[in-house]
Amino acid sequence: MNASGKHVLIVDDEPSLRMLIRAVLEGDGWTVHEAQSGEQALEILPGLSLNAALIDMRMEGMDGMALLKELNSIMPGLPVIMLTAFGNVNSAVVAMKHGAFDYLTKPADNEELKAVMAKALNYSRLVDENEKLKSAAGATEEMIGNSQGMLHVKDLIEQAGPSEATILVLGESGTGKELVAEGLHRSSQRADKPLIKVNCAALPADLLESELFGYMKGAFTGANANKPGRFQLASGGTLFLDEIGEMDPVLQAKILRALQEKVVEPLGSVSPVETDVRIIAATNRDLKKEVENGNFREDLYYRLSVLEIRIPPLRERVGDLPALVAYLLEKLGRKNNKKVRSVTPSFLDILGFYDWPGNVRELENVLERAIILSRSEVLGPELLPPQVQNPVPRQTQSEQTMQQASADQRPVQQPATASTAPAQATGTPTLDDAERQALITALEANQHHRERTADALGISRRTLQYKLKKYGLTRR
């Protein structure tokens, strides 16, 4: 939005009405931009810095509600005033429930128009000031945790944010890759321009191409007007390509061209369009392996990975759990209209033993479930789902090696004959028996010092604690 000026976009298919509104607002100091349709408004939007928009509810092609949805997505916080005929006030009220700032009946009274626009201007400046304060508070304010891994991520964001470098964010699903992209954008010189997000896994290749690059009228059946792509809408700002590892190889080549030449070619167009965007990409895949397997272009990989930021999974930063739980309790309590103060120590202990394959997103779901089911302001372990209460830890390579070594110590069974016992005879040790004995041997060799024992076995202390509890060795 424009912090210092007074810029408004009028979208209406009646030229006479646009002319009347323009005359009133220009007399009141506004700079007026016009569009005769929703499609044309989206076309000129990338070049505008606005404080408000006036859009007609009923237009040919894209109607006011559809345009309102697009504006809320592209310019969140922009006050949008709906223009409606007297008999359609109910639809304008519905639009307000979906994010419109206010509505005016046509023809609008001049003084009422000025008053509503003054309120919209004050609101837009308040939103702009709030965004500046949020940026000043730090680009990583929503990233909870002070573990070594998270401090490293925050440091990289603060260092790389102001640069123009293309950045590749790596991390398992649910670790918060989108938060990192938002932090990088807020700390950049492009913070006052749009951050446009695209999930590359959510659309098939042909639809994703039109979404990214846009299309011209008549490019395909149903293309009734020109539509700018996400590259154009992000002009001057940042384009976040989430799950880029899922992108079709043909489309990868077009992304590479956009990065190298800073141009895109809308579908059906014969001339390229210049773009000015910073690319942040993210994936939960190992792109190096995808390159080796022929699923991802090597030249695109090196273009994207000028700097890589890896977000550690939650199981590698269990020390951040108390802070994460406190933050999420407040957030989810407000969302569900329930007052929740804290969790019991045993509740937190159990969270520490779980492996969190879904990471912070899974933690949020688990806590929301507990809040919904709770009859108390303090959450107890009985509110946790079975898979969290009885965790099966993920095996690391070193753990698998240890378990295999234990299994190799089992006696070799001879084939059953008339004079030998069957294979399932009593006394044959199981894999659990062998693992339990390996733990006892390692504990005794390290004078029952748990940290040294975990290091000797090549496993984490948390996994060691789980296994000791599993085999009843906690009191030895």
Side-chain angles (χ1 to χ4, degrees), residues 279-326:
I279 300 292
I280 298 173
T283 181
N284 59 11
R285 290 178 176 267
D286 184 338
L287 286 192
K288 286 184 179 178
K289 286 187 178 178
E290 294 299 310
V291 169
E292 292 171 5
N293 295 334
N295 299 324
F296 202 83
R297 292 181 64 104
E298 185 176 22
D299 45 6
L300 178 57
Y301 168 68
Y302 287 115
R303 275 281 175 180
L304 293 173
S305 60
V306 174
L307 175 68
E308 293 186 356
I309 297 179
R310 178 187 175 274
I311 310 173
L314 186 53
R315 65 182 174 275
E316 289 182 10
R317 57 184 191 105
V318 291
D320 290 336
L321 275 171
L324 280 166
V325 169

Side-chain angles (χ1 to χ4, degrees), residues 79-119:
V80 179
I81 297 100
M82 310 302 293
L83 298 169
T84 184
F86 181 76
N88 293 320
V89 170
N90 286 342
S91 58
V93 173
V94 171
M96 289 183 67
K97 291 180 179 178
H98 286 80
F101 179 76
D102 208 336
Y103 72 92
L104 291 167
T105 54
K106 298 190 294 184
D109 176 80
N110 290 355
E111 294 307 315
E112 186 182 7
L113 173 60
K114 291 179 183 179
V116 169
M117 293 303 295
K119 284 196 301 181

Side-chain angles (χ1 to χ4, degrees), residues 153 168-178 180 242-243 281-287 308-315 357 359 361:
V153 169
L168 182 61
V169 184
L170 304 172
E172 296 177 6
S173 179
T175 49
K177 296 186 288 294
E178 189 172 325
V180 171
D242 197 9
E243 302 300 349
T283 181
N284 59 11
R285 290 178 176 267
D286 184 338
L287 286 192
E308 293 186 356
I309 297 179
R310 178 187 175 274
I311 310 173
L314 186 53
R315 65 182 174 275
N359 293 291
R361 186 182 296 130

Side-chain angles (χ1 to χ4, degrees), residues 329 342-351 376 378-382 384:
L329 285 183
S342 61
V343 301
T344 65
S346 55
F347 185 102
L348 200 58
D349 285 345
I350 292 172
L351 296 186
S376 168
V378 179
L379 305 182
E382 71 281 356
L384 292 170

Side-chain angles (χ1 to χ4, degrees), residues 406-428:
S406 300
D408 290 344
Q409 296 173 12
R410 294 167 55 186
V412 178
Q413 298 183 38
Q414 299 295 327
T417 65
S419 59
T420 60
Q424 68 268 28
T426 304
T428 301

Side-chain angles (χ1 to χ4, degrees), residues 42 46 196 209-215 227-235 239 264 266:
L42 291 179
I196 302 297
E209 181 175 0
S210 65
E211 189 69 21
L212 288 170
F213 305 128
Y215 55 79
K227 182 181 177 182
R230 297 293 177 175
F231 269 89
Q232 291 163 271
L233 294 174
S235 182
L239 182 62
V264 295

